[in-house]
Amino acid sequence: MPTVAEVTHVMASNEAVVPGKRVRLDFGEEGHILLDGIARSVTNDDGPADTTIKVSFSNFLALADGSLNGTAAFMLGKLKVEGDMAAAMQLQSVTSKIKP
């Protein structure tokens, strides 16, 4: 299983951001990734965001590989959204950028 740092690097290489928005992926104790669509960067910084998506890192990887549906994860409480829901709805396009 990849690490948060490895996923951050891949996402940064593929510019996996939501244009014009800052989205924070919060993996709890496992860390976080800040997708800065304003600066067009992906880092592990803990900065302010328009949207925070709280999900375990393993569930995030399942979302990315398609084995977990984002809507189902939200409905089952495996994924929580704080802030701009429209930016969160673009998560699938972001996670598709970390597929091998």
Side-chain angles (χ1 to χ4, degrees):
M1 179 164 81
T3 66
V4 172
E6 290 168 337
V7 170
T8 303
H9 176 74
V10 170
M11 292 178 85
S13 298
N14 291 305
E15 293 188 5
V17 297
V18 176
K21 300 286 183 178
R22 288 188 178 106
V23 178
R24 183 174 182 264
L25 303 171
D26 183 345
F27 308 123
E29 291 182 14
E30 294 175 272
H32 50 267
I33 299 174
L34 182 64
L35 311 173
D36 190 335
I38 297 169
R40 299 203 58 81
S41 66
V42 179
T43 65
N44 295 113
D45 294 343
D46 190 15
D50 301 298
T51 304
T52 297
I53 298 171
K54 295 183 176 187
V55 61
S56 71
F57 187 59
S58 61
N59 281 337
F60 177 75
L61 294 176
L63 287 165
D65 73 14
S67 62
L68 179 62
N69 176 279
T71 303
F74 181 77
M75 298 302 259
L76 293 170
K78 293 181 179 186
L79 180 148
K80 295 184 171 123
V81 178
E82 296 175 356
D84 183 354
M85 184 63 93
M89 297 299 290
Q90 296 180 42
L91 181 63
Q92 184 176 1
S93 67
V94 169
T95 57
S96 69
K97 295 182 179 183
I98 67 169
K99 289 183 180 178

Tab-separated table of all heavy atoms in Angstrom, residues 27-68:
chain	number	residue	atom	x	y	z
A	27	PHE	N	-6.953	12.526	6.602
A	27	PHE	CA	-6.900	11.094	6.877
A	27	PHE	C	-6.724	10.799	8.360
A	27	PHE	O	-6.277	9.720	8.743
A	27	PHE	CB	-5.759	10.436	6.082
A	27	PHE	CG	-5.788	10.742	4.612
A	27	PHE	CD1	-4.700	11.334	3.990
A	27	PHE	CD2	-6.897	10.441	3.839
A	27	PHE	CE1	-4.714	11.612	2.645
A	27	PHE	CE2	-6.930	10.718	2.482
A	27	PHE	CZ	-5.829	11.305	1.885
A	28	GLY	N	-7.038	11.754	9.214
A	28	GLY	CA	-6.889	11.569	10.657
A	28	GLY	C	-5.431	11.472	11.033
A	28	GLY	O	-4.604	12.253	10.572
A	29	GLU	N	-5.086	10.498	11.835
A	29	GLU	CA	-3.715	10.335	12.314
A	29	GLU	C	-2.737	9.975	11.197
A	29	GLU	O	-1.529	10.112	11.354
A	29	GLU	CB	-3.663	9.279	13.413
A	29	GLU	CG	-4.349	9.717	14.690
A	29	GLU	CD	-4.232	8.673	15.791
A	29	GLU	OE1	-3.421	7.742	15.680
A	29	GLU	OE2	-4.975	8.811	16.775
A	30	GLU	N	-3.257	9.519	10.062
A	30	GLU	CA	-2.392	9.122	8.949
A	30	GLU	C	-1.885	10.318	8.146
A	30	GLU	O	-1.011	10.166	7.314
A	30	GLU	CB	-3.122	8.144	8.043
A	30	GLU	CG	-3.419	6.822	8.746
A	30	GLU	CD	-4.255	5.896	7.891
A	30	GLU	OE1	-5.485	6.004	7.959
A	30	GLU	OE2	-3.655	5.078	7.169
A	31	GLY	N	-2.456	11.499	8.384
A	31	GLY	CA	-1.979	12.700	7.701
A	31	GLY	C	-3.052	13.366	6.872
A	31	GLY	O	-4.238	13.119	7.044
A	32	HIS	N	-2.610	14.220	5.959
A	32	HIS	CA	-3.536	14.957	5.115
A	32	HIS	C	-2.826	15.408	3.844
A	32	HIS	O	-1.601	15.415	3.760
A	32	HIS	CB	-4.115	16.166	5.863
A	32	HIS	CG	-3.064	17.003	6.503
A	32	HIS	ND1	-2.673	16.815	7.798
A	32	HIS	CD2	-2.288	17.985	6.020
A	32	HIS	CE1	-1.708	17.662	8.096
A	32	HIS	NE2	-1.457	18.386	7.029
A	33	ILE	N	-3.640	15.772	2.868
A	33	ILE	CA	-3.146	16.306	1.603
A	33	ILE	C	-3.960	17.562	1.310
A	33	ILE	O	-5.181	17.554	1.419
A	33	ILE	CB	-3.306	15.292	0.454
A	33	ILE	CG1	-2.505	14.010	0.727
A	33	ILE	CG2	-2.882	15.915	-0.876
A	33	ILE	CD1	-2.727	12.905	-0.299
A	34	LEU	N	-3.281	18.632	0.940
A	34	LEU	CA	-3.947	19.865	0.551
A	34	LEU	C	-3.842	20.020	-0.960
A	34	LEU	O	-2.748	20.110	-1.517
A	34	LEU	CB	-3.327	21.080	1.242
A	34	LEU	CG	-3.979	22.426	0.930
A	34	LEU	CD1	-5.427	22.471	1.449
A	34	LEU	CD2	-3.168	23.567	1.521
A	35	LEU	N	-4.997	20.008	-1.616
A	35	LEU	CA	-5.077	20.198	-3.062
A	35	LEU	C	-5.400	21.678	-3.286
A	35	LEU	O	-6.526	22.107	-3.065
A	35	LEU	CB	-6.181	19.323	-3.658
A	35	LEU	CG	-6.188	17.852	-3.241
A	35	LEU	CD1	-7.432	17.150	-3.765
A	35	LEU	CD2	-4.934	17.161	-3.731
A	36	ASP	N	-4.412	22.440	-3.673
A	36	ASP	CA	-4.586	23.882	-3.813
A	36	ASP	C	-4.804	24.224	-5.284
A	36	ASP	O	-3.850	24.321	-6.068
A	36	ASP	CB	-3.371	24.617	-3.264
A	36	ASP	CG	-3.575	26.117	-3.163
A	36	ASP	OD1	-4.414	26.656	-3.916
A	36	ASP	OD2	-2.890	26.746	-2.344
A	37	GLY	N	-6.063	24.383	-5.657
A	37	GLY	CA	-6.410	24.695	-7.037
A	37	GLY	C	-6.173	26.141	-7.397
A	37	GLY	O	-6.290	26.511	-8.566
A	38	ILE	N	-5.834	26.964	-6.423
A	38	ILE	CA	-5.501	28.361	-6.701
A	38	ILE	C	-4.017	28.457	-7.061
A	38	ILE	O	-3.654	29.031	-8.079
A	38	ILE	CB	-5.863	29.256	-5.501
A	38	ILE	CG1	-7.385	29.192	-5.276
A	38	ILE	CG2	-5.386	30.690	-5.715
A	38	ILE	CD1	-7.866	29.792	-3.994
A	39	ALA	N	-3.167	27.853	-6.240
A	39	ALA	CA	-1.726	27.834	-6.506
A	39	ALA	C	-1.332	26.679	-7.433
A	39	ALA	O	-0.180	26.577	-7.828
A	39	ALA	CB	-0.958	27.723	-5.196
A	40	ARG	N	-2.307	25.812	-7.759
A	40	ARG	CA	-2.095	24.625	-8.595
A	40	ARG	C	-0.966	23.763	-8.026
A	40	ARG	O	-0.029	23.397	-8.726
A	40	ARG	CB	-1.844	24.999	-10.052
A	40	ARG	CG	-3.036	25.751	-10.647
A	40	ARG	CD	-3.164	25.707	-12.126
A	40	ARG	NE	-3.278	24.423	-12.752
A	40	ARG	CZ	-4.395	23.692	-12.846
A	40	ARG	NH1	-5.503	24.139	-12.302
A	40	ARG	NH2	-4.393	22.542	-13.460
A	41	SER	N	-1.107	23.441	-6.716
A	41	SER	CA	-0.105	22.616	-6.053
A	41	SER	C	-0.791	21.578	-5.171
A	41	SER	O	-1.942	21.735	-4.784
A	41	SER	CB	0.824	23.488	-5.208
A	41	SER	OG	0.111	24.078	-4.139
A	42	VAL	N	-0.044	20.522	-4.884
A	42	VAL	CA	-0.509	19.465	-3.989
A	42	VAL	C	0.581	19.257	-2.958
A	42	VAL	O	1.724	18.956	-3.309
A	42	VAL	CB	-0.784	18.147	-4.759
A	42	VAL	CG1	-1.253	17.063	-3.803
A	42	VAL	CG2	-1.808	18.371	-5.871
A	43	THR	N	0.238	19.459	-1.677
A	43	THR	CA	1.231	19.362	-0.613
A	43	THR	C	0.626	18.647	0.597
A	43	THR	O	-0.554	18.326	0.613
A	43	THR	CB	1.679	20.773	-0.152
A	43	THR	OG1	0.564	21.443	0.444
A	43	THR	CG2	2.225	21.592	-1.318
A	44	ASN	N	1.462	18.454	1.597
A	44	ASN	CA	0.995	17.918	2.869
A	44	ASN	C	0.836	19.037	3.892
A	44	ASN	O	0.737	18.779	5.084
A	44	ASN	CB	1.954	16.841	3.388
A	44	ASN	CG	1.983	15.640	2.488
A	44	ASN	OD1	2.999	15.364	1.862
A	44	ASN	ND2	0.881	14.933	2.363
A	45	ASP	N	0.773	20.295	3.411
A	45	ASP	CA	0.568	21.440	4.290
A	45	ASP	C	-0.800	21.352	4.950
A	45	ASP	O	-1.739	20.795	4.391
A	45	ASP	CB	0.654	22.754	3.509
A	45	ASP	CG	2.048	23.018	2.966
A	45	ASP	OD1	3.006	22.375	3.444
A	45	ASP	OD2	2.170	23.858	2.064
A	46	ASP	N	-0.899	21.928	6.119
A	46	ASP	CA	-2.159	21.946	6.854
A	46	ASP	C	-2.725	23.354	6.805
A	46	ASP	O	-2.781	24.048	7.807
A	46	ASP	CB	-1.918	21.486	8.296
A	46	ASP	CG	-3.218	21.257	9.051
A	46	ASP	OD1	-4.275	21.181	8.406
A	46	ASP	OD2	-3.169	21.153	10.287
A	47	GLY	N	-3.117	23.787	5.616
A	47	GLY	CA	-3.616	25.140	5.451
A	47	GLY	C	-5.126	25.196	5.381
A	47	GLY	O	-5.811	24.172	5.415
A	48	PRO	N	-5.653	26.420	5.273
A	48	PRO	CA	-7.106	26.584	5.161
A	48	PRO	C	-7.612	26.023	3.835
A	48	PRO	O	-6.881	25.976	2.852
A	48	PRO	CB	-7.285	28.102	5.227
A	48	PRO	CG	-5.989	28.672	4.757
A	48	PRO	CD	-4.935	27.677	5.179
A	49	ALA	N	-8.875	25.587	3.838
A	49	ALA	CA	-9.453	24.995	2.635
A	49	ALA	C	-10.920	25.385	2.509
A	49	ALA	O	-11.586	25.654	3.503
A	49	ALA	CB	-9.324	23.479	2.694
A	50	ASP	N	-11.404	25.407	1.277
A	50	ASP	CA	-12.825	25.635	1.022
A	50	ASP	C	-13.639	24.417	1.439
A	50	ASP	O	-14.780	24.537	1.852
A	50	ASP	CB	-13.063	25.904	-0.470
A	50	ASP	CG	-12.297	27.116	-0.964
A	50	ASP	OD1	-12.567	28.217	-0.461
A	50	ASP	OD2	-11.431	26.950	-1.847
A	51	THR	N	-13.019	23.261	1.287
A	51	THR	CA	-13.674	21.986	1.592
A	51	THR	C	-12.698	21.078	2.308
A	51	THR	O	-11.535	20.978	1.913
A	51	THR	CB	-14.125	21.279	0.294
A	51	THR	OG1	-14.960	22.155	-0.440
A	51	THR	CG2	-14.868	19.993	0.583
A	52	THR	N	-13.162	20.396	3.340
A	52	THR	CA	-12.379	19.360	3.999
A	52	THR	C	-13.133	18.051	3.847
A	52	THR	O	-14.316	17.978	4.161
A	52	THR	CB	-12.153	19.668	5.489
A	52	THR	OG1	-11.392	20.888	5.592
A	52	THR	CG2	-11.391	18.542	6.188
A	53	ILE	N	-12.428	17.056	3.337
A	53	ILE	CA	-13.009	15.728	3.182
A	53	ILE	C	-12.312	14.815	4.176
A	53	ILE	O	-11.097	14.635	4.112
A	53	ILE	CB	-12.839	15.218	1.741
A	53	ILE	CG1	-13.586	16.154	0.790
A	53	ILE	CG2	-13.329	13.782	1.626
A	53	ILE	CD1	-13.340	15.893	-0.664
A	54	LYS	N	-13.097	14.293	5.108
A	54	LYS	CA	-12.553	13.392	6.122
A	54	LYS	C	-12.855	11.961	5.710
A	54	LYS	O	-14.020	11.583	5.547
A	54	LYS	CB	-13.157	13.697	7.489
A	54	LYS	CG	-12.773	15.059	8.010
A	54	LYS	CD	-13.320	15.313	9.391
A	54	LYS	CE	-12.825	16.664	9.896
A	54	LYS	NZ	-13.190	16.882	11.286
A	55	VAL	N	-11.793	11.182	5.552
A	55	VAL	CA	-11.911	9.797	5.105
A	55	VAL	C	-10.645	9.070	5.552
A	55	VAL	O	-9.572	9.674	5.640
A	55	VAL	CB	-12.082	9.749	3.557
A	55	VAL	CG1	-10.903	10.343	2.828
A	55	VAL	CG2	-12.388	8.363	3.054
A	56	SER	N	-10.759	7.788	5.856
A	56	SER	CA	-9.550	7.045	6.194
A	56	SER	C	-8.698	6.916	4.929
A	56	SER	O	-9.220	6.947	3.806
A	56	SER	CB	-9.895	5.654	6.747
A	56	SER	OG	-10.390	4.818	5.712
A	57	PHE	N	-7.402	6.775	5.110
A	57	PHE	CA	-6.508	6.671	3.961
A	57	PHE	C	-6.828	5.423	3.147
A	57	PHE	O	-6.841	5.468	1.918
A	57	PHE	CB	-5.047	6.690	4.415
A	57	PHE	CG	-4.073	6.761	3.272
A	57	PHE	CD1	-4.109	7.827	2.384
A	57	PHE	CD2	-3.129	5.772	3.091
A	57	PHE	CE1	-3.220	7.901	1.321
A	57	PHE	CE2	-2.230	5.837	2.033
A	57	PHE	CZ	-2.263	6.907	1.157
A	58	SER	N	-7.155	4.327	3.806
A	58	SER	CA	-7.483	3.096	3.067
A	58	SER	C	-8.760	3.280	2.254
A	58	SER	O	-8.850	2.804	1.112
A	58	SER	CB	-7.593	1.896	4.010
A	58	SER	OG	-8.611	2.104	4.958
A	59	ASN	N	-9.755	3.983	2.792
A	59	ASN	CA	-10.969	4.248	2.021
A	59	ASN	C	-10.696	5.215	0.870
A	59	ASN	O	-11.290	5.091	-0.200
A	59	ASN	CB	-12.095	4.771	2.909
A	59	ASN	CG	-12.775	3.675	3.686
A	59	ASN	OD1	-12.741	2.507	3.307
A	59	ASN	ND2	-13.384	4.029	4.799
A	60	PHE	N	-9.795	6.167	1.073
A	60	PHE	CA	-9.422	7.066	-0.015
A	60	PHE	C	-8.797	6.283	-1.163
A	60	PHE	O	-9.119	6.518	-2.332
A	60	PHE	CB	-8.458	8.149	0.485
A	60	PHE	CG	-7.988	9.060	-0.616
A	60	PHE	CD1	-8.831	10.026	-1.135
A	60	PHE	CD2	-6.719	8.929	-1.139
A	60	PHE	CE1	-8.406	10.857	-2.167
A	60	PHE	CE2	-6.288	9.752	-2.167
A	60	PHE	CZ	-7.130	10.721	-2.679
A	61	LEU	N	-7.920	5.349	-0.831
A	61	LEU	CA	-7.300	4.529	-1.875
A	61	LEU	C	-8.349	3.678	-2.587
A	61	LEU	O	-8.278	3.491	-3.805
A	61	LEU	CB	-6.198	3.647	-1.286
A	61	LEU	CG	-4.974	4.400	-0.739
A	61	LEU	CD1	-4.010	3.420	-0.090
A	61	LEU	CD2	-4.284	5.197	-1.838
A	62	ALA	N	-9.334	3.194	-1.848
A	62	ALA	CA	-10.425	2.420	-2.457
A	62	ALA	C	-11.256	3.304	-3.382
A	62	ALA	O	-11.691	2.852	-4.452
A	62	ALA	CB	-11.295	1.790	-1.375
A	63	LEU	N	-11.470	4.553	-3.015
A	63	LEU	CA	-12.156	5.497	-3.897
A	63	LEU	C	-11.347	5.695	-5.172
A	63	LEU	O	-11.893	5.732	-6.277
A	63	LEU	CB	-12.354	6.852	-3.205
A	63	LEU	CG	-13.395	6.934	-2.108
A	63	LEU	CD1	-13.215	8.210	-1.301
A	63	LEU	CD2	-14.790	6.879	-2.708
A	64	ALA	N	-10.040	5.823	-5.002
A	64	ALA	CA	-9.166	6.075	-6.145
A	64	ALA	C	-9.129	4.900	-7.123
A	64	ALA	O	-9.100	5.112	-8.331
A	64	ALA	CB	-7.754	6.396	-5.663
A	65	ASP	N	-9.152	3.677	-6.598
A	65	ASP	CA	-9.076	2.534	-7.519
A	65	ASP	C	-10.449	2.069	-7.996
A	65	ASP	O	-10.573	1.130	-8.774
A	65	ASP	CB	-8.269	1.376	-6.924
A	65	ASP	CG	-8.974	0.609	-5.816
A	65	ASP	OD1	-10.194	0.751	-5.638
A	65	ASP	OD2	-8.280	-0.160	-5.115
A	66	GLY	N	-11.488	2.743	-7.527
A	66	GLY	CA	-12.832	2.442	-7.998
A	66	GLY	C	-13.547	1.336	-7.248
A	66	GLY	O	-14.684	1.007	-7.565
A	67	SER	N	-12.912	0.764	-6.237
A	67	SER	CA	-13.564	-0.311	-5.486
A	67	SER	C	-14.543	0.222	-4.438
A	67	SER	O	-15.311	-0.542	-3.869
A	67	SER	CB	-12.531	-1.234	-4.837
A	67	SER	OG	-11.735	-0.532	-3.906
A	68	LEU	N	-14.514	1.535	-4.192
A	68	LEU	CA	-15.477	2.178	-3.291
A	68	LEU	C	-16.101	3.357	-4.015
A	68	LEU	O	-15.392	4.212	-4.555
A	68	LEU	CB	-14.789	2.646	-1.998
A	68	LEU	CG	-15.664	3.364	-0.966
A	68	LEU	CD1	-16.780	2.455	-0.447
A	68	LEU	CD2	-14.806	3.860	0.197
